[in-house]
Amino acid sequence: MRSPSQVLNNLVDNSKKPNYKFLRLYRNLYNIEFYYEAYQNIYATEGNMTEGTDGKTIDGMSIKRIENLIESIKNESYKPNPARRTYIPKKNGKLRPLGIPSIDDKLVQEVVRRILEAIYETNFSPKSHGFRPNKSCQTALNQIEGTFTACKWFIEGDIKGFFDNIDHQILINILKKRIDDEKFLRLIWKFLKAGYVEEWNFHKTISGTPQGGIISPILSNIYLMPPQNLRTGPKRKLIASGELRPTKKPDLDNLIKGIKDGCNKIIWHDDSQIVDMTVRKFYSEQPRAEVTIEWHQK
């Protein structure tokens, strides 16, 4: 078998061909070298001594265990364990759900992640900095510093419950645009539908990718790719909302106008997208406005 680096480099080269379809990706999961490298990538990660729902940790990993895992991949009897759900605190005082996969599932997910990254990384927007190689908050700040030199206002937007609300069918349809390998796509489905265990109760996952899963960040970035890649599947809507609280009423009106003008200037690669903005103003004590921006297909 070819080395993982040869396989991944070949995938990267083909990813630069706009209409290229990737075939026979699944067979790369038979290559034990991928699992050795996956182990090297994740063994020192914090939390690997925490048991998944199967009661195992990375401490008991062995060549025999990996060989058994590959055999189950080959005959498609492999079934990911449900993630163990826990919660971690957010900056605003709320709690963020976190899924802890089993170690075997982490190994398989790391192999899948590297394959997906080789296929999609070169096609991501240069303005995207989250969960990407050699990208970070600092690279985003550097880009802003060099390109937003005349800005006075910055608006922070957030997609509420994004990881929990990713539509599985839309995600698979996006993957099908470049991947023509039913076995590989079935494996992605298995991870999406693995469910989670919370307080000893099993819960199905009908949407979303598990926060804490190794493949969740790459899948979320694929889901957020430019709209020209989203022709397949039902209409899709992303919502960003927030609250504006300037000190004076004229500042509020000017700020709202600036945001509206910005929405009107958003240009996609085709005319199938609409950006709408709704505003509710309040002037009772301090001027403020609730702003919602919707992005969807015609």
Side-chain angles (χ1 to χ4, degrees):
M1 284 189 175
R2 293 184 298 169
S3 70
S5 61
Q6 289 177 314
V7 172
L8 296 174
N9 287 337
N10 184 59
L11 293 177
V12 170
D13 290 341
N14 287 323
S15 72
K16 299 172 184 176
K17 304 173 185 177
N19 298 316
Y20 187 86
K21 280 270 192 174
F22 291 89
L23 309 171
R24 298 186 296 276
L25 293 175
Y26 192 76
R27 64 181 181 177
N28 291 305
L29 288 130
Y30 308 160
N31 187 342
I32 198 168
E33 295 294 330
F34 264 110
Y35 296 87
Y36 292 159
E37 292 188 7
Y39 177 83
Q40 290 293 322
N41 290 343
I42 70 173
Y43 83 96
T45 304
E46 184 179 355
N48 277 336
M49 293 306 295
T50 302
E51 295 180 353
T53 53
D54 60 354
K56 299 177 181 178
T57 70
I58 203 166
D59 194 40
M61 187 54 63
S62 65
I63 294 176
K64 181 63 176 176
R65 186 168 159 185
I66 293 175
E67 289 173 343
N68 291 338
L69 186 59
I70 293 174
E71 188 59 36
S72 69
I73 292 285
K74 286 181 178 179
N75 60 35
E76 290 194 87
S77 64
Y78 169 74
K79 183 179 180 181
N81 293 290
R84 185 167 66 84
R85 173 159 285 194
T86 185
Y87 292 86
I88 58 175
K90 298 170 67 175
K91 290 182 179 179
N92 61 8
K94 296 181 180 180
L95 295 176
R96 184 191 306 278
L98 182 69
I100 302 176
S102 71
I103 295 301
D104 287 0
D105 296 336
K106 284 184 178 181
L107 277 181
V108 179
Q109 285 192 30
E110 174 62 11
V111 176
V112 172
R113 181 198 67 78
R114 296 182 72 194
I115 292 171
L116 290 174
E117 186 177 274
I119 294 172
Y120 288 98
E121 173 60 29
T122 57
N123 295 285
F124 288 147
S125 168
K127 299 173 184 176
S128 171
H129 296 264
F131 305 111
R132 294 182 59 193
N134 303 313
K135 297 277 191 176
S136 64
C137 294
Q138 188 59 53
T139 60
L141 290 172
N142 291 341
Q143 188 176 61
I144 290 171
E145 183 181 29
T147 56
F148 289 75
T149 55
C151 287
K152 294 182 179 179
W153 293 90
F154 288 89
I155 308 301
E156 180 181 1
D158 182 54
I159 303 171
K160 185 176 181 181
F162 173 63
F163 281 94
D164 295 328
N165 292 294
I166 288 177
D167 187 294
H168 292 167
Q169 189 61 61
I170 291 177
L171 176 60
I172 294 298
N173 286 339
I174 294 170
L175 292 171
K176 282 182 177 179
K177 285 186 159 300
R178 301 225 65 182
I179 297 173
D180 189 6
D181 184 338
E182 288 300 321
K183 285 187 176 182
F184 189 80
L185 294 174
R186 280 200 296 271
L187 179 60
I188 301 293
W189 266 118
K190 287 181 180 181
F191 282 120
L192 294 175
K193 298 296 185 183
Y196 65 93
V197 172
E198 183 176 7
E199 295 182 351
W200 301 104
N201 292 315
F202 173 76
H203 300 268
K204 294 181 179 180
T205 45
I206 58 175
S207 66
T209 59
Q211 294 195 33
I214 288 175
I215 59 171
S216 291
I218 184 71
L219 290 178
S220 70
N221 279 338
I222 293 170
Y223 194 79
L224 288 174
M225 286 179 72
Q228 74 271 20
N229 296 326
L230 304 179
R231 289 292 190 177
T232 309
K235 292 182 180 179
R236 176 170 173 241
K237 180 185 293 184
L238 298 178
I239 299 176
S241 61
E243 189 172 85
L244 308 175
R245 287 180 176 270
T247 56
K248 300 177 182 178
K249 177 181 178 299
D251 292 341
L252 180 64
D253 294 335
N254 290 335
L255 184 55
I256 291 171
K257 182 180 183 302
I259 298 173
K260 284 186 175 179
D261 290 344
C263 288
N264 292 333
K265 291 178 182 177
I266 293 177
I267 300 174
W268 303 108
H269 294 267
D270 54 44
D271 61 356
S272 66
Q273 308 302 317
I274 301 174
V275 177
D276 294 328
M277 175 176 165
T278 57
V279 178
R280 295 176 61 203
K281 298 180 183 179
F282 304 89
Y283 295 114
S284 55
E285 297 179 2
Q286 180 186 6
R288 66 185 180 89
E290 294 177 357
V291 179
T292 300
I293 301 173
E294 296 180 339
W295 166 43
H296 57 90
Q297 290 182 294
K298 292 180 181 177

